[in-house]
Amino acid sequence: MGTEDTTKPGAFFPAENADFISEFIKEDLKSGRFSYVHTRFPPEPNGWLHIGHCKAFYIDFTMAEKFGGKCNLRFDDTNPEKENVSYVDAIKRDVKWMGYDWEDREYYASDYYEYLYDLAVKIIRKGRAYVDDLSEDEISEYRGTSADRRTAGKSAVAVTPPGRNSPYRDRTVEENLDLFARMRAGEFADGAKTLRAKIDMAHTNLLMRDPVMYRIRRETHYRTGNAWCIYPMYDFQHPLSDAREGITHSLCSLEYEIHRPLYEWFINEAGVFPSRQIEFARLNLSRTVLSKRWLLQLVQGKYVSGWDDPRMPTIAGLRRRGYTPAAIRSFVSQIGIAKTDSMVDIAFLEYCLREDLNKHSRRVMAVLRPLKLIIENWPAGTTEELDAVNNPEDESAGTRKTPFSGELWIEREDFEEVPPPKYFRLFPGNSVRLRYGYIVTCTGFDKNDAGEITAVRCTYDPETKGGNAPDNRKVRSTIHWVSAFHAVPIEVRVYDYLFNAERPMEAASRPGGSFLDSLNPNSLEVIPSAYAEPCLADAQAGDRFQFERLGYFVRDPDTQEGRPVFNKTVGLRDTWAKIAKNK
Ligand code: ATP
Ligand code: MG
């Protein structure tokens, strides 16, 4: 852990380590079920990708790479109400940013409408599908489940009594073919008819009780426009799209396990390439929600500034927060591939992030809550250029010059008029080391009429340049600073978790509850007037830094009233080590 090269996709994947998906694939290659490996990542373009999707496409791309195969990017876009091209663009950008390349294998389920239609006709001809006139509500009532449980995951396996056959179930093949063609031709109103698979209305898996294959919806699709007024349902479309692309292993999260019999049923009945579905545990992360549906609600309700708000668990949000692709890959590879769902502590994600940032970020100084420090014996009007190390973890990062003068900004909390016990920073009579600079001794302070401290006064010792204490003086603290004459004003945004609850979704399952119940009202703190070393004036959006003693920060694309904005990515202190120790 921690020493591998995380800069390459898949680099973290423990090749010798037996995960169950690799084992299945190996068996399939050995038995001759497949002679090659081809996977796909199938996002629905109805929102931006989140870190759960990173786990999914990490597995898809890595399995392909590991077995010398390929991985397609396929937009699973058969739900016109919710999909649009801006989501397609965001998804492509984010997968690329994560370091994955689907080359020219970019596919759209909506390109398969004609192919899917033909297969539906084939299934009708076999007598295994029929056109139904029941309404959606009637269908679920006949099925023996209430409307709100129709799409529920595991609860679909039920002890409920057998359902009832639809009165339209025994239509002849000819009649079904005719009605289905007329559904396509737009002869019927939305919802007036559906095409259903003829499976078994007494099946213990409710999803197998004659699932809907097509519904009528007069919606403009972002790719096919108004060419179609019938749209295929996921359970019918997905396996057949996989088959069409020659996908050998269709890897997906655990909630699709219950859909697998249906996946196989459609492949069999359509007589197409026998893609195999394998499920893995979904990523759940504490203190956040991982579902586009909930994330969309946060965006639409303006609880966040957008899909890329730095508090969002989306790839774009993480990027804007200062996360690196390497840190995210390191995280998804280390959490492993399991068959049972679990919750991952967000502190572990932050641990992976710090590991990476510590190695690669440039150190600079910035002061978030400034207090003036006046050096009374500094030669008036002079500036000195001090040498500062850019990254102690990486010698090649070199050094820089940073200006030092008779007036500095220091952190307000680095001075106390009356020091509490064990306080070793500035207070009258005490000395501290200024990072890269001199030892200074506090001689006093100024207060305004309101009793607020407006400046701290001190003297410096010219003999202590670079922090030397020639006479073995005991100086117990080093504080950071910026030269008041040279510092650039910046805005800093400090974030806390979006939710106070470990599992915000738990509230949603209580009557009258909502995942919004535990929304943290203090998840964003804006510090409008902080100061940074002059070199930060040139920082480009996305540049990452360690502000010494404060944490890791990234230059945001925003500028506020001429001040460049920096986001706090994560603090320096690692809470994961502590949590892991107590486990
Ligand atoms: P969401 O609930 O976020 O909308 P989804 O499953 O509806 O998720 P899709 O765009 O359909 O989103 O998902 C694309 C792929 O990503 C699927 O194979 C799905 O299994 C996988 N996936 C989605 N969320 C997670 C997650 N939290 N952990 C692992 N894989 C996930
Ligand atoms: Mg989905």
Side-chain angles (χ1 to χ4, degrees), residues 372-393:
K372 185 68 73 64
L373 181 75
I374 300 170
I375 307 176
E376 295 182 311
N377 58 341
W378 185 261
T382 62
T383 298
E384 202 175 310
E385 296 283 332
L386 298 176
D387 286 316
V389 176
N390 285 332
N391 186 354
E393 301 284 320

Side-chain angles (χ1 to χ4, degrees), residues 180-210:
F180 188 49
R182 289 164 58 194
M183 277 171 66
R184 175 179 181 171
E187 284 188 31
F188 309 113
D190 284 14
K193 290 191 170 19
T194 55
L195 181 71
R196 295 178 69 181
K198 197 169 182 175
I199 306 181
D200 179 2
M201 288 305 287
H203 205 288
T204 51
N205 182 343
L206 293 179
L207 295 174
M208 295 294 274
R209 294 185 180 179
D210 292 10

